Amino acid sequence: QVQLVESGGGLVPAGGSLRLSCAASGRTFSNYAMGWFRQAPGKEREFVATLNGFGRVISYADSVKGRFTISRDNAKNTVYLLMNSLKPEDTAVYYCAAKFGTTGMTSNAYNYWGQGTQVTVSS
């Protein structure tokens, strides 16, 4: 079992920045690829970013490429999502997720999920 707890969400004006954190516990953190997903009201959950166990393989959704940065600190069992140049359309509940092994860009590839943190970007 892997337990995940997100933090760092909030209300920010368009153009602003936020850094989300996801603290993991329960297993050897570096064995797990981590992902960030988001879900806006009335929409399906969508992929945002993923990285592998040592952070060397990274992928982003086209909608966030160049604005968001995913990273991890295995010594702290934490994965981060730095979000710059935020837009109102980035408003959503953001979830971190873990899967054993390689990265993935589909939600059904992930076994473990956090409870989510709300990000609201005002125009």
Side-chain angles (χ1 to χ4, degrees), residues 72-94:
R72 65 191 296 159
D73 184 339
N74 287 346
K76 295 182 178 180
N77 285 5
T78 301
V79 63
Y80 303 98
L81 185 68
L82 175 62
M83 306 184 293
N84 293 323
S85 302
L86 281 161
K87 305 174 181 180
E89 51 264 44
D90 294 317
T91 296
V93 177
Y94 282 71

Side-chain angles (χ1 to χ4, degrees), residues 12-114:
V12 62
S17 299
L18 279 176
R19 189 179 78 159
L20 306 182
S21 299
C22 175
S25 61
R27 295 285 184 174
T28 303
F29 186 58
S30 58
N31 286 342
Y32 289 80
M34 301 298 295
W36 285 97
F37 291 77
R38 65 186 183 185
Q39 188 166 18
K43 295 188 176 181
E44 292 186 354
R45 190 170 298 188
E46 65 174 1
F47 166 74
V48 175
T50 182
L51 81 174
N52 71 342
F54 290 96
R56 297 191 182 108
V57 178
I58 296 175
S59 297
Y60 295 98
D62 287 343
S63 58
V64 306
K65 204 171 292 184
R67 300 188 298 122
F68 290 12
T69 303
I70 188 172
S71 62
R72 65 191 296 159
D73 184 339
N74 287 346
K76 295 182 178 180
N77 285 5
T78 301
V79 63
Y80 303 98
L81 185 68
L82 175 62
M83 306 184 293
N84 293 323
S85 302
L86 281 161
K87 305 174 181 180
E89 51 264 44
D90 294 317
T91 296
V93 177
Y94 282 71
Y95 298 90
C96 75
K99 65 179 297 291
F100 188 83
T102 59
T103 58
M105 292 189 284
T106 58
S107 58
N108 59 12
Y110 289 79
N111 307 104
Y112 305 102
W113 291 84

